Amino acid sequence: LSADTMVIASAAQRLAQPLSPPEPPEFLMCSITHELMEDPVFASDGHTYERRAIAQWLDQKQTSPKTGADLQLPILFPNHAMRQQILEWCEAHGL
């Protein structure tokens, strides 16, 4: 095989391999699970977490996972704006 043929074959092989999706931006990731959030919620510490993760956290502790400070209210609120950003990021990256 000629050098040109080998270069073309190598490039074709790289193109045929599936690309791994890009890593999501840090602000779309849950600081507890370190994964892309699906159901983001605000906690009373003002931070956003994945609902399952913060609910499990609050079953065991009454402190902020981010700061360690006591949480005055163990209430969670949907973060609709963050959910929209996650959906837009997923659409833009074909996920």
Side-chain angles (χ1 to χ4, degrees), residues 3-24:
D4 289 340
T5 304
M6 290 175 58
V7 169
I8 292 169
S10 176
Q13 186 178 22
R14 283 193 308 270
L15 290 174
Q17 294 175 350
L19 296 174
S20 59
E23 190 70 21

Side-chain angles (χ1 to χ4, degrees), residues 65-82:
K66 292 277 257 188
T67 66
D70 287 340
L71 290 178
Q72 300 301 317
L73 300 170
I75 299 172
L76 304 175
F77 301 95
N79 187 338
H80 299 294
M82 179 68 74

